[in-house]
Amino acid sequence: MKRVVIVICDGLRSDMVTPETTPNLLRIAKAGTQFTSHGGVFPSTTRTTAASIATGCLPGRNGLEGNAVALDLGDGLEVLSVGPPSFRDKFAEANGRTLKVPTMSERVKDVGGAVIYANASPGAGIFLDPDGHGHLFHRDVAFAPGRLTAEPLGVGHDAEGDSAMAQRFIDDVLHDQKPALALIWQCEPDSTQHSVSMGSPAHFDVIRSADAQAGRIYDNISAGVDAGDILFICASDHGHETISEIVDLEKILIEAGLKDGPGSPDVAIAPQGLSATIYLSEDAKSRRTAIANVLAADNRIGRVVEGPQISDLGLNPDGGIDIVVIAAHSETPSADGAPGSSVAFQGDLKISNNVGCGQHGGLGRYEQSPFLICVGAGFDKGALIEDATSAIDIAPSAMRHLGLADDDMDGRALQH
Ligand SMILES: [Zn+2]
């Protein structure tokens, strides 16, 4: 039976896939094809990318347009993090649905099914299969088909937890259950990158750990890959840049007289790390250009995009977002010599931004350079493909291998 196995190493940027740090990934790449111009979606946040990998569609099309989003649950706009387990039901209540397009789990539910293991935030895991078409096991939450509550993985949110999760994935999913789609999402190196200097010894330690788990998983399926039955996809969702400075957009707009106060529902600012999305209430729509002008005049901000132009970023101009703010990017290296720096944003919600450590969410060169390796029938051994690919190409490639429809997705099935 044809099967697809997908391994995500959260936050691993492609310039850190090297013989010293990721010997297993490069060994796997020699057995298949490495895509050297792979890119992410915008915002380059984990939860949006999870939904885009799951659906093959850009955030504007699948409906999850941020790691944090503004919802109106009856009391005006409020910025909510997508991370907690409770977010999914609030999102469904506000919109009358979860994602607007089917996930891979839904597409395979009657033809071998899906089992997903995830160790990023609960929200990132849940939005890989928000309507419960397959099995989803996260360290804190788990669901059987039909969203029946199951026993969570209970592993740590760190490299050790990823290792324990990988062993169970090998034993239970790869050797026992053998679903059509098996996906495992490691939290490292992303989790550690948020609190250490990029390129530091602590950073390389967790890259080596994520690489080791990918190697173990591959070694447990390689016979199926060689027989043409299994398509093995190993990728990251985004990379990271180093935070040079934190800019509080809420403070700027309140001081400019363009937002009523902290957390006020007139102008809802959702921080995405190295970008932010701004939602305006009906009464505040007339302030759009004034807000955009104030922010565009700040030299720490690289780009401000408003109104219909946000569709150029893969967002939906009719989905509630009125203004997008993107940080200025530079090649300035981290204290340990890893290139790429950017300012990070705070909004109505205060997120974890650490100056001198890693972050993502914008359009910087390194955060937009995840890696992608495909091994299996049709992917030439040792090939390096320079054509641009995207996170949204993973789902159509998986469906094509399984002989299922890959139409109506924004991405395209990779070659073959
Ligand atoms: Zn991520």
Side-chain angles (χ1 to χ4, degrees), residues 234-246:
C234 192
S236 53
D237 48 348
H238 53 76
H240 274 233
E241 312 269 331
T242 295
I243 297 180
S244 57
E245 181 183 352
I246 296 165

Side-chain angles (χ1 to χ4, degrees), residues 8-12 44-47 49 120 185-187 190 194 236-240 360:
I8 305 293
C9 303
D10 200 312
L12 177 54
S44 54
T45 44
T46 301
R47 299 155 201 162
T49 313
W185 195 296
Q186 305 192 67
C187 72
D190 175 273
H194 282 286
S236 53
D237 48 348
H238 53 76
H240 274 233
H360 53 101

Side-chain angles (χ1 to χ4, degrees), residues 44 95 137 179 216 254 288 338 402:
S44 54
N95 296 304
F137 293 92
R216 275 164 69 205
I254 291 171
R288 192 182 89 191
L402 296 172

Side-chain angles (χ1 to χ4, degrees), residues 110-195:
D110 297 323
V111 282
V115 182
I116 293 171
Y117 278 32
N119 201 22
S121 67
I126 287 168
F127 274 89
L128 288 164
D129 182 14
D131 296 318
H133 293 288
H135 294 268
L136 171 66
F137 293 92
H138 179 269
R139 67 178 176 279
D140 293 335
V141 293
F143 299 99
R147 299 207 90 231
L148 298 172
T149 304
E151 187 68 30
L153 292 171
V155 301
H157 185 210
D158 51 20
E160 203 176 318
D162 281 347
S163 175
M165 174 175 73
Q167 190 57 53
R168 184 165 156 191
F169 183 77
I170 290 166
D171 294 340
D172 291 0
V173 184
L174 298 183
H175 290 314
D176 187 16
Q177 295 159 325
K178 301 182 180 176
L181 173 67
L183 186 155
I184 181 168
W185 195 296
Q186 305 192 67
C187 72
E188 297 288 13
D190 175 273
S191 182
T192 292
Q193 285 171 178
H194 282 286
S195 57

Side-chain angles (χ1 to χ4, degrees), residues 67-105:
N67 247 25
V69 301
L71 299 179
D72 187 345
L73 294 164
D75 296 319
L77 292 170
E78 181 188 0
V79 177
L80 296 172
S81 168
V82 179
S86 58
F87 173 82
R88 180 251 180 222
D89 288 352
K90 292 175 185 167
F91 187 69
E93 182 191 333
N95 296 304
R97 44 106 188 134
T98 58
L99 296 176
K100 294 195 281 189
V101 292
T103 59
M104 288 192 283
S105 290

Side-chain angles (χ1 to χ4, degrees), residues 36-337:
T36 58
S37 302
H38 189 55
V41 298
F42 180 85
S44 54
T45 44
T46 301
R47 299 155 201 162
T48 49
T49 313
S52 288
I53 286 176
T55 60
C57 291
L58 294 167
R61 178 106 179 282
N62 69 43
L64 186 66
E65 300 193 274
N67 247 25
V69 301
L71 299 179
D72 187 345
L73 294 164
D75 296 319
L77 292 170
E78 181 188 0
V79 177
L80 296 172
S81 168
V82 179
S86 58
F87 173 82
R88 180 251 180 222
D89 288 352
K90 292 175 185 167
F91 187 69
E93 182 191 333
N95 296 304
R97 44 106 188 134
T98 58
L99 296 176
K100 294 195 281 189
V101 292
T103 59
M104 288 192 283
S105 290
E106 181 172 357
R107 290 172 184 266
V108 304
K109 70 182 160 103
D110 297 323
V111 282
V115 182
I116 293 171
Y117 278 32
N119 201 22
S121 67
I126 287 168
F127 274 89
L128 288 164
D129 182 14
D131 296 318
H133 293 288
H135 294 268
L136 171 66
F137 293 92
H138 179 269
R139 67 178 176 279
D140 293 335
V141 293
F143 299 99
R147 299 207 90 231
L148 298 172
T149 304
E151 187 68 30
L153 292 171
V155 301
H157 185 210
D158 51 20
E160 203 176 318
D162 281 347
S163 175
M165 174 175 73
Q167 190 57 53
R168 184 165 156 191
F169 183 77
I170 290 166
D171 294 340
D172 291 0
V173 184
L174 298 183
H175 290 314
D176 187 16
Q177 295 159 325
K178 301 182 180 176
L181 173 67
L183 186 155
I184 181 168
W185 195 296
Q186 305 192 67
C187 72
E188 297 288 13
D190 175 273
S191 182
T192 292
Q193 285 171 178
H194 282 286
S195 57
V196 301
S197 167
M198 297 293 290
S200 63
H203 177 205
F204 285 127
D205 279 350
V206 290
I207 293 180
R208 288 191 188 94
S209 175
D211 174 72
Q213 312 321 331
R216 275 164 69 205
I217 293 164
Y218 176 74
D219 289 341
N220 277 273
I221 58 145
S222 52
V225 172
D226 291 339
D229 295 336
I230 297 179
L231 171 62
F232 181 76
I233 299 174
C234 192
S236 53
D237 48 348
H238 53 76
H240 274 233
E241 312 269 331
T242 295
I243 297 180
S244 57
E245 181 183 352
I246 296 165
V247 175
D248 190 339
L249 299 173
E250 183 176 51
K251 189 161 172 277
I252 291 172
L253 293 186
I254 291 171
E255 284 175 3
L258 292 167
K259 176 169 166 63
D260 290 348
S264 62
D266 54 334
V267 177
I269 308 166
Q272 313 295 345
L274 307 186
S275 72
T277 48
I278 301 178
Y279 301 66
L280 304 176
S281 69
E282 281 307 314
D283 289 346
K285 295 265 187 216
S286 59
R287 294 180 222 163
R288 192 182 89 191
T289 302
I291 290 171
N293 288 344
V294 162
L295 298 176
D298 190 315
N299 62 14
R300 299 168 299 180
I301 291 171
R303 219 171 128 198
V304 178
V305 184
E306 58 172 312
Q309 305 303 323
I310 72 168
S311 62
D312 295 344
L313 300 167
L315 296 175
N316 177 9
D318 303 315
I321 297 172
D322 293 288
I323 301 169
V324 176
V325 182
I326 302 162
H329 167 83
S330 79
E331 288 293 313
T332 304
S334 71
D336 289 281

